[in-house]
Amino acid sequence: ETGVTQTPRHLVMGMTNKKSLKCEQHLGHNAMYWYKQSAKKPLELMFVYSLEERVENNSVPSRFSPECPNSSHLFLHLHTLQPEDSALYLCASSQERPGAAMNTGELFFGEGSRLTVL
Amino acid sequence: SQKIEQNSEALNIQEGKTATLTCNYTNYSPAYLQWYRQDPGRGPVFLLLIRENEKEKRKERLKVTFDTTLKQSLFHITASQPADSATYLCALVQSDTGRRALTFGSGTRLQVQP
């Protein structure tokens, strides 16, 4: 396995379901991200984890719950979603410089998980 | 308010010509600006990074310029090929807010006709 792997690639769920998206990076990076991409809209940053600590939460509704058990894995737990949450969810990783106030490195994205909420 | 604007209309050009895509930003002081390529149903792929003190950066057939006075970056693909057809995203990091992650524009779709 190389790069950033996301599973599942496609997910259809009802509004009352609970599901999880999984991301795994094999690049030895120390930061991971969740982005949401809806049609005709820019990528929206949802969560940032640096060294397994959540360092940014971009006003995301609580029905989205991230988990980062280690620097290689990132989850997005989904619960009671709405149809407007249907989108492509992209995971990314990068290597942050120690002590840096901001991340300037390139992002390595997975192929995304296409979520449809019925 | 802060905005990153890319031309939402698709850019159609003939094979062999130079494609030029524009990224304009408002109310940002970016330390870095990056360009990514995204194919349908795939994740974005990093192409180039340019720093605020750099005017121009090149990589093979790609060239990026960064004008902090105009608050604009231009992305050029010379000798374009049908395989260059994709959506191109610009992204930046604000230098003075402590934000740690990239903010993206909505992208411009490039279609290169054979």
Side-chain angles (χ1 to χ4, degrees), chain A residues 33-44:
Chain A
Y33 310 77
W34 281 115
Y35 279 89
K36 174 185 178 182
Q37 188 173 37
S38 305
K40 309 279 188 194
K41 292 176 70 174
L43 274 76
E44 300 173 51

Side-chain angles (χ1 to χ4, degrees), chain B residues 3-21:
Chain B
K3 286 193 295 186
I4 302 172
E5 294 180 298
Q6 295 185 257
N7 194 339
S8 58
E9 293 184 18
L11 177 64
N12 290 286
I13 64 168
Q14 286 297 120
E15 182 175 7
K17 300 291 187 185
T18 296
T20 298
L21 295 90

Side-chain angles (χ1 to χ4, degrees), chain A residues 48-56 68:
Chain A
V48 181
Y49 277 83
S50 175
L51 299 172
E52 302 152 41
E53 176 187 351
R54 190 191 310 179
V55 296
E56 194 161 340
C68 186

